[in-house]
Amino acid sequence: MSLENEFTNNASGQPSRANFNKKRTSLNNLVSGLGKLPPQALDLEEAVLGALMLEKNALSEVIDILKPDSFYKEAHQKIFQAIYNLFQKTSPIDILTVVAELRQMGSLEMVGGAYYITQLTDRVVSAANIEYHARIISQKYIQRELIKVSTEIINSSYDETSDIFDLLDHAEKSLFDIAQNNLRRDSRKMDDIMREAISSLELLRDKTDGLTGIPSGLTALDRMTSGWQPSDLVIIAARPAMGKTAFVLSVARNAAVDHDKPVAVFSLEMSSVQLVNRLIAGETEIEQEKLKKGNLADHEWQQLHSRIGRLTEAPLIIDDTPALNVFEFRAKCRRLKAQYDIQMVIVDYLQLMHGKGDGKGGGGNREQEIGSISRALKSVAKELNIPVLALSQLSRAVESRPGNSKRPMLSDLRESGSIEQDADMVLFLYRPEYYGLLEDEEGRSTVGVGEVIIAKHRNGETGIVPLRFVGKYVKFVDLEDDFSGMSNEGGSFNDFGGGMGSAIQPSGNFGNFGGGITMPSRMNDMPDDAPF
């Protein structure tokens, strides 16, 4: 029965045009709702395969654009695989060799036989536009992959047993893999790269301070590091109550206030208000104890309000989300980069992060989890092309070390293997005064003196940088001119005194460091067998 007869008006025996149109629309909607054809370009697939068998150099133009899965039709996938196999064997590529390769693969009949291969070459005259055609085929493949991933995400989202954080992480990873595997950067000619390199050098020529990265604001440290470099993961480690937070806050303040560089601080231990109070103490030079109690004289209130203006306007973003996991961290950093164009990220501190979205650490080996966290931090640094500074704890082996030297070694890092491997720089903070060592070997006072020991520097020199720790203002500042930064590459460490000179071992191993801070860490009360 025809569609017209099915909807004939019973009274007159004539079709009802309104009913007919209505039902036809419904039928069309039903048919279209049964499924959609995936994005494809079969005619271009045929043209590309034909061109590859016509000109011997055609494959070189598309070898980094196409792969067998890029083709929609399975027969075309097999044909391209045969062409690729011939390319790998440096064999000539034409109709005869492709047919022979398909026969050897056992796929000749499946693709339509030798006759279909011959037809492909009839559909194209030359390989002149093969790259353009290949990119369209690749775009269609990416669209199919996005549909596939989206469908999987939708199905998993309806599953009540799915872990939401695992689902989010899987979705993000799947989309990232599509981009990484298909949207590759083109190769660049030497003249293009050379122009960019010369342009960078010309910009550096105008800089009298020699900084190529984000400045720390600490002169001797910047002299050795040239600033915090883009894409670097910097680990800053110390025992609890040694000044880690004070150090990174000083660095963050200097970059944001003095150099107008947007900085994001992720504080997993202290609240944002506590951090700001420390920044206020350093900026106004009002003792932190007075700020904590609010016991300020009239002139100190005036001093406070007159000096916090620059700090208030600084591009400094603080996130105090507790038990932050790596998924949340990556997502937050991407948003902050897009919204504020952050130039540096600080994490206080690494061992308080979690590797999984459930906040339970996955229940597995803690060292493996720390490894995944450090890799995630390095990944964010590379992806956003910014330095990531992460604080880390040291084991109690430092405290039990015999003798007066309490300087740390790289092996003193908790879960040190992965951290040491992923880090581009490892800095130790050491303050002899904390251990009751009030004089160095030459009788110099070590009161208020802190050392930044650069124990690992993938792209530069290692050595020791002395700083002044101002405990009542909770900040690190430059020492006097006679306490300049020192290096184990050509410079003498005895310029500062015997105590600091002993930090560098002949083998290149470093001893331990510390740094005084006024607010103790919660890690102080944790046993050695604590999960972190």
Side-chain angles (χ1 to χ4, degrees):
M1 180 182 293
S2 67
L3 187 62
E4 288 86 352
N5 291 336
E6 183 178 352
F7 300 109
T8 296
N9 187 297
N10 290 332
S12 62
Q14 298 296 322
S16 170
R17 180 60 60 184
N19 288 342
F20 172 73
N21 290 337
K22 180 178 180 181
K23 293 301 182 180
R24 183 172 62 180
T25 301
S26 300
L27 182 60
N28 289 339
N29 291 339
L30 176 62
V31 171
S32 63
L34 292 176
K36 298 180 180 179
L37 285 176
Q40 55 187 283
L42 293 179
D43 53 342
L44 293 181
E45 291 183 8
E46 294 171 352
V48 166
L49 292 174
L52 291 176
M53 290 184 285
L54 281 180
E55 298 187 15
K56 62 179 182 179
N57 296 325
L59 185 59
S60 300
E61 298 185 32
V62 300
I63 194 68
D64 60 340
I65 301 174
L66 297 177
K67 53 189 176 182
D69 289 342
S70 301
F71 293 84
Y72 176 71
K73 193 174 180 178
E74 185 177 1
H76 293 170
Q77 295 177 6
K78 297 293 185 182
I79 295 171
F80 185 81
Q81 184 64 60
I83 293 173
Y84 188 79
N85 292 345
L86 292 170
F87 177 79
Q88 286 184 311
K89 294 184 288 188
T90 65
S91 300
I93 300 171
D94 54 35
I95 296 175
L96 296 178
T97 56
V98 171
V99 168
E101 181 67 25
L102 284 168
R103 185 178 289 113
Q104 185 175 348
M105 293 167 55
S107 302
L108 182 59
E109 296 304 320
M110 190 274 285
V111 303
Y115 177 72
Y116 183 73
I117 303 299
T118 304
Q119 278 189 316
L120 290 176
T121 59
D122 292 336
R123 297 179 182 274
V124 64
V125 177
S126 72
N129 300 317
I130 190 171
E131 182 179 351
Y132 180 77
H133 294 162
R135 293 193 183 279
I136 295 176
I137 294 172
S138 179
Q139 290 170 12
K140 299 298 182 183
Y141 169 69
I142 293 173
Q143 288 178 275
R144 294 197 299 271
E145 288 295 289
L146 289 172
I147 292 171
K148 176 184 174 182
V149 169
S150 301
T151 302
E152 291 176 354
I153 294 171
I154 290 171
N155 292 336
S156 299
S157 298
Y158 279 111
D159 185 357
E160 295 293 340
T161 64
S162 298
D163 182 272
I164 185 62
F165 292 104
D166 287 342
L167 178 58
L168 286 169
D169 193 58
H170 172 70
E172 184 183 57
K173 183 179 183 300
S174 299
L175 293 173
F176 182 75
D177 288 344
I178 292 175
Q180 286 292 99
N181 296 332
N182 296 281
L183 303 179
R184 300 175 182 174
R185 295 184 60 184
D186 292 333
S187 301
R188 302 171 63 190
K189 293 179 64 179
M190 187 61 183
D191 59 347
D192 182 37
I193 302 173
M194 185 63 73
R195 281 195 297 270
E196 183 176 333
I198 295 300
S199 177
S200 299
L201 291 174
E202 289 174 348
L203 289 175
L204 294 176
R205 178 186 59 187
D206 299 329
K207 292 186 175 183
T208 58
D209 52 14
L211 290 175
T212 59
I214 303 300
S216 69
L218 303 169
T219 306
L221 182 60
D222 284 337
R223 188 180 300 125
M224 290 188 66
T225 64
S226 297
W228 311 116
Q229 299 300 312
S231 79
D232 273 6
L233 172 60
V234 181
I235 299 296
I236 301 167
R239 287 293 294 152
M242 288 292 167
K244 298 186 299 297
T245 303
F247 177 78
V248 293
L249 281 183
S250 298
V251 166
R253 180 266 169 209
N254 294 341
V257 175
D258 293 338
H259 299 275
D260 199 33
K261 303 290 185 182
V263 178
V265 178
F266 291 87
S267 176
L268 285 76
E269 184 178 34
M270 299 175 62
S271 72
S272 56
V273 174
Q274 288 175 311
L275 291 181
V276 170
N277 282 337
R278 288 188 170 207
L279 288 168
I280 291 174
E283 193 72 12
T284 62
E285 296 189 348
I286 298 175
E287 294 183 20
Q288 188 191 19
E289 287 300 318
K290 287 188 175 183
L291 291 173
K292 189 185 301 182
K293 299 174 182 178
N295 185 23
L296 303 181
D298 290 342
H299 74 279
E300 289 175 324
W301 281 110
Q302 295 177 359
Q303 180 177 331
L304 185 150
H305 288 293
S306 65
R307 294 188 180 183
I308 63 173
R310 294 181 66 202
L311 187 61
T312 302
E313 300 299 324
L316 190 59
I317 302 102
I318 298 177
D319 185 309
D320 60 358
T321 304
L324 189 69
N325 62 66
V326 292
F327 168 75
E328 294 172 330
F329 174 75
R330 283 198 303 264
K332 286 173 180 283
C333 286
R334 287 169 182 156
R335 287 196 295 268
L336 291 173
K337 182 66 175 178
Q339 186 174 0
Y340 300 106
D341 191 25
I342 55 173
Q343 300 296 305
M344 183 168 66
V345 168
I346 294 172
V347 179
D348 183 10
Y349 58 88
L350 189 150
Q351 279 85 2
L352 288 182
M353 292 187 72
H354 291 288
K356 288 181 65 66
D358 55 13
K360 300 177 182 178
N365 183 285
R366 178 59 179 168
E367 185 168 353
Q368 292 177 352
E369 187 183 14
I370 289 294
S372 69
I373 293 170
S374 65
R375 285 190 296 273
L377 296 181
K378 176 60 180 176
S379 175
V380 168
K382 289 183 64 178
E383 178 185 345
L384 303 182
N385 196 34
I386 59 175
V388 173
L389 279 58
L391 301 186
S392 178
Q393 282 288 357
L394 290 175
S395 68
R396 286 189 174 142
V398 174
E399 313 291 347
S400 59
R401 189 168 294 141
N404 291 334
S405 178
K406 302 296 182 181
R407 292 186 176 94
M409 298 178 291
L410 287 172
S411 59
D412 292 327
L413 286 167
R414 286 182 182 265
E415 300 89 16
S416 62
S418 298
I419 298 176
E420 180 183 346
Q421 174 181 325
D422 295 324
D424 296 281
M425 290 180 65
V426 177
L427 308 183
F428 293 135
L429 302 177
Y430 174 62
R431 195 160 58 90
E433 179 187 7
Y434 178 81
Y435 295 103
L437 306 175
L438 303 183
E439 292 183 349
D440 62 23
E441 294 178 0
E442 294 185 357
R444 286 182 170 182
S445 173
T446 60
V447 176
V449 175
E451 301 173 8
V452 176
I453 304 173
I454 305 177
K456 176 185 176 182
H457 193 182
R458 184 168 288 160
N459 301 308
E461 58 183 340
T462 57
I464 298 176
V465 177
L467 298 173
R468 178 73 65 192
F469 175 69
V470 188
K472 60 183 179 179
Y473 303 145
V474 203
K475 67 177 181 179
F476 280 85
V477 297
D478 286 322
L479 273 177
E480 294 75 18
D481 293 339
D482 59 322
F483 294 106
S484 59
M486 298 171 291
S487 166
N488 67 339
E489 299 184 10
S492 172
F493 290 92
N494 295 326
D495 295 338
F496 182 81
M500 294 194 72
S502 62
I504 303 298
Q505 310 292 334
S507 63
N509 294 329
F510 287 77
N512 143 326
F513 70 86
I517 205 167
T518 58
M519 294 189 66
S521 166
R522 293 198 297 266
M523 298 292 290
N524 286 337
D525 302 324
M526 291 186 177
D528 276 340
D529 59 354
F532 48 84

